[in-house]
Amino acid sequence: MAFARIARTGLRRSGGAKGNYTTERDAISEGISFSKYQPSLENAMLKYNNPYTFGKMDIPSFQSRGYQATLSSQLPSTEKIARQQSVSESESMKYPGLEATKPGDKPRVVVLGTGWAACRFMKGLDTKMYDIVCISPRNHMVFTPLLASTCVGTLEFRSVAEPVGQIQSALATDPNCYFYLASCTSIDTSKHEVYCETVENLGQANERHRFRVAYDKLVIAVGSDPLTFNIKGVQEHAIFLREVNHAQEIRMKLLSNLMLSQSPGISDEERKRLLHCVIVGGGPTGVEFSGELSDFIKGDVSQRYAHVKDRVKVTVIEANEILSSFDVGLREYAASHLTKSGVCLMRGIVKEVEREKIVLVDGTEVPFGILVWSTGVGPSEFIKSLNLPKCPGGRVGIDQWLRIPSVEDVFALGDCAGFLEQTGRKVLPALAQVAEREGKYLVELFNNMAKQNAGKAYSAKDVTLGEPFVYKHAGSMASVGSYKALVDLRESKDAKGISIAGFLSFLIWRSAYLTRVLSWRNRFYVAVNWATTLVFGRDISKIGN
């Protein structure tokens, strides 16, 4: 009603409706933003036949499969101020986009994110029952267990990136399913809408476009951010090994330092710094990356950088013990193997990170040429900003069915979600297998709701959801280099089970991850890359800046 009153007020002030549009709803349905600039908009349309021309400013068409976007630079100053305030009813005028589904339409599921949880959910969801809208700042899923291998050229980057259009083909082919390269900025659970902005600036206005999407069901799976513990200098000088662009940056920096260290006139101290690779964090990611680095140094650097091969050094800094979630025997094996491979294991707590060195709490200074930060993950700034219940640790709080109980039709899973205290369950670790299991479970729950005609908004109050989610840990694996790996098949840290290490574990590790790669295309890429590396060594070409 308030929306209609605003529209009628705007009509009266502008002298009535223009053309054949008698109401604002009719205008919006035709793709025209209704505002006090309506006369100028109509003149521009008549003159240029371009619905995105405002006055003398010709704004490029930004119409991507069902939505149009508004540039903040074209809004009056009063509207810019209003944009910075909380979401209100007038936001519908400023954020054009996908309207709510109509009776007879399939329910629309909006998925935020393209990580393990989101992609497993989208892959299994029945698109005969639902339409899917995926919103994420990246258009692919990263197969994170093999990401460390891309840093040194064991695998190529495309081998670990799976486009979402191949994971769920409906996003590329179905006229009512969409993928939007954007970030969600806020959620209005009362209106069942999400508000987003594109990750890239478009056009000459140098502004990011904003739009809104109405949902029947919302799945929040935006992942997490690296934990920095508010240590000064981490964000500016460290690299986080979580995305493909991180691996690309590490690879470029590593190769650059190797070549720079051979330049004439470089002091021994500077050469030593350039060739020192420091990893902060002794978890699976840090250990696997250090193993890959040691293999790269022994197998490729020693042959192709003979002048500096003896000066390259890898150091892992950990506050406690490496691989703390693994069996004690496996931890000891990993520490012994890495030490024999030339990796230095150092106990310490980082106090500050400077441009070329780390300062520990005890005053020790560790110069570095490249710093990789891998100390765990925590809730992102977006998750912190949501006015939703939080579980211990700051993640979005969910119940046994992965619902956010304080709001309707909103679910959360993966690294961004955790069980509320009242459920009596522990917050699950931020692991790929946890996210994948949750995505698989939510598929069954959604398909079950659709069969009970509960897919639409506000229709799932009295439906039978079935059994709650139960997670059983399948075990942990980690590669330590030199064709050795660890396999820990215990259900928990204190439980009994099979724990093995060595070459057999390496074969299990590679076989398991090769079968978990989502597409046959990427399985082929990974297998070929492994074979190529075994026969010819790693590619050390430095391409790009």
Side-chain angles (χ1 to χ4, degrees):
M1 294 299 292
F3 185 91
R5 287 196 297 271
I6 293 171
R8 288 195 294 271
T9 302
L11 287 173
R12 287 195 296 269
R13 290 180 179 178
S14 62
K18 300 295 180 182
N20 296 324
Y21 303 110
T22 57
T23 66
E24 182 169 355
R25 182 183 299 274
D26 295 334
I28 292 177
S29 68
E30 293 297 322
I32 299 174
S33 297
F34 219 83
S35 71
K36 66 181 182 180
Y37 294 106
Q38 186 67 33
S40 299
L41 177 60
E42 184 190 16
N43 294 336
M45 290 175 62
L46 293 174
K47 185 174 181 180
Y48 299 107
N49 193 26
N50 182 358
Y52 297 94
T53 304
F54 287 73
K56 296 182 179 180
M57 184 178 294
D58 186 13
I59 304 170
S61 174
F62 183 70
Q63 191 168 7
S64 177
R65 303 188 62 205
Y67 77 85
Q68 54 178 314
T70 299
L71 286 170
S72 62
S73 61
Q74 273 86 59
L75 296 173
S77 58
T78 55
E79 293 190 19
K80 288 184 179 181
I81 295 173
R83 182 182 296 283
Q84 298 171 0
Q85 299 172 350
S86 60
V87 177
S88 64
E89 292 186 4
S90 62
E91 293 293 85
S92 298
M93 298 175 65
K94 290 183 287 183
Y95 290 116
L98 291 183
E99 302 294 339
T101 56
K102 300 176 181 178
D105 293 344
K106 287 187 292 184
R108 180 187 298 143
V109 179
V110 173
V111 181
L112 305 180
T114 51
W116 280 82
C119 288
R120 181 60 184 86
F121 171 73
M122 290 189 291
K123 180 181 180 181
L125 192 65
D126 190 348
T127 53
K128 295 180 181 179
M129 298 180 179
Y130 293 98
D131 288 330
I132 304 176
V133 175
C134 179
I135 301 168
S136 174
R138 69 181 189 195
N139 71 339
H140 59 274
M141 170 192 163
V142 180
F143 194 82
T144 48
L146 297 178
L147 188 59
S149 298
T150 65
C151 299
V152 296
T154 305
L155 297 177
E156 289 302 319
F157 301 113
R158 64 178 179 177
S159 302
V160 300
E162 196 74 50
V164 292
Q166 294 185 7
I167 295 172
Q168 175 50 264
S169 60
L171 293 172
T173 59
D174 193 307
N176 294 316
C177 296
Y178 313 100
F179 170 79
Y180 295 141
L181 190 69
S183 296
C184 180
T185 56
S186 60
I187 302 171
D188 191 333
T189 55
S190 63
K191 294 173 63 178
H192 275 51
E193 290 181 342
V194 297
Y195 296 85
C196 312
E197 68 176 20
T198 57
V199 296
E200 299 288 345
N201 297 332
L202 297 179
Q204 299 177 355
N206 198 30
E207 290 279 350
R208 294 187 179 185
H209 294 269
R210 297 175 173 87
F211 59 94
R212 62 186 172 86
V213 178
Y215 63 84
D216 291 297
K217 297 288 187 290
L218 175 64
V219 177
I220 303 174
V222 295
S224 55
D225 282 351
L227 281 177
T228 64
F229 307 101
N230 295 320
I231 296 174
K232 182 181 178 181
V234 174
Q235 292 284 356
E236 294 81 3
H237 307 302
I239 305 174
F240 306 103
L241 185 52
R242 292 177 53 80
E243 302 285 348
V244 172
N245 63 293
H246 296 155
Q248 291 173 328
E249 184 178 359
I250 291 171
R251 185 166 172 175
M252 293 290 291
K253 186 74 172 176
L254 182 61
L255 294 174
S256 293
N257 288 353
L258 284 168
M259 287 181 279
L260 284 173
S261 65
Q262 297 185 114
S263 301
I266 298 290
S267 66
D268 289 341
E269 183 179 354
E270 178 66 6
R271 182 176 290 109
K272 183 178 179 181
R273 182 193 68 81
L274 286 171
L275 296 174
H276 191 194
C277 305
V278 176
I279 303 155
V280 177
T285 300
V287 168
E288 290 190 338
F289 178 59
S290 65
E292 289 285 351
L293 271 177
S294 66
D295 284 353
F296 176 62
I297 293 167
K298 289 186 296 182
D300 300 272
V301 173
S302 60
Q303 296 180 14
R304 305 174 192 182
Y305 295 94
H307 297 90
V308 296
K309 64 178 181 179
D310 297 327
R311 296 175 179 268
V312 184
K313 184 180 179 182
V314 179
T315 299
V316 176
I317 301 176
E318 170 58 46
N320 299 305
E321 294 184 1
I322 64 169
L323 301 173
S324 58
S325 62
F326 281 68
D327 176 75
V328 176
L330 295 182
R331 293 203 301 265
E332 293 175 352
Y333 177 90
S336 174
H337 177 78
L338 290 174
T339 302
K340 291 178 181 178
S341 299
V343 177
C344 176
L345 302 180
M346 178 183 295
R347 286 272 187 104
I349 300 175
V350 179
K351 177 182 178 181
E352 183 181 353
V353 177
E354 299 181 6
R355 186 173 180 270
E356 296 179 348
K357 67 180 179 180
I358 292 176
V359 181
L360 303 183
V361 172
D362 62 5
T364 304
E365 295 184 352
V366 183
F368 64 84
I370 182 170
L371 172 62
V372 176
W373 194 270
S374 177
T375 58
V377 295
S380 65
E381 292 301 319
F382 171 70
I383 291 297
K384 293 177 183 177
S385 71
L386 296 179
N387 186 23
L388 295 172
K390 303 295 195 301
C391 72
R395 304 186 197 178
V396 173
I398 55 176
D399 63 11
Q400 298 94 319
W401 292 273
L402 309 185
R403 302 175 300 181
I404 300 177
S406 61
V407 294
E408 200 164 356
D409 298 322
V410 183
F411 300 77
L413 64 165
D415 294 357
C416 70
F419 291 119
L420 291 165
E421 285 186 286
Q422 52 263 39
T423 64
R425 299 188 176 196
K426 295 181 179 179
V427 176
L428 296 174
L431 299 174
Q433 61 175 296
V434 174
E436 187 180 27
R437 302 279 184 84
E438 289 179 340
K440 182 179 179 180
Y441 169 83
L442 200 61
V443 166
E444 297 175 357
L445 190 148
F446 268 58
N447 291 342
N448 182 34
M449 286 194 298
K451 292 175 182 177
Q452 301 178 62
N453 296 319
K456 288 285 190 176
Y458 308 106
S459 63
K461 293 181 179 180
D462 301 320
V463 301
T464 303
L465 296 178
E467 295 295 324
F469 174 74
V470 177
Y471 172 71
K472 292 184 179 180
H473 189 60
S476 303
M477 296 184 293
S479 170
V480 292
S482 300
Y483 301 102
K484 302 292 192 300
L486 315 175
V487 175
D488 190 350
L489 300 181
R490 298 175 303 158
E491 289 189 8
S492 66
K493 185 177 180 179
D494 300 322
K496 294 182 179 180
I498 300 174
S499 300
I500 56 177
F503 181 70
L504 177 61
S505 298
F506 175 78
L507 294 179
I508 295 173
W509 178 83
R510 279 204 167 178
S511 301
Y513 283 145
L514 186 61
T515 58
R516 300 308 297 165
V517 174
L518 293 184
S519 69
W520 283 103
R521 184 200 70 165
N522 276 18
R523 289 174 192 169
F524 176 77
Y525 283 160
V526 170
V528 169
N529 288 166
W530 280 340
T532 303
T533 299
L534 178 64
V535 177
F536 301 106
R538 296 167 181 82
D539 180 22
I540 59 170
S541 302
K542 182 181 181 295
I543 302 174
N545 296 321

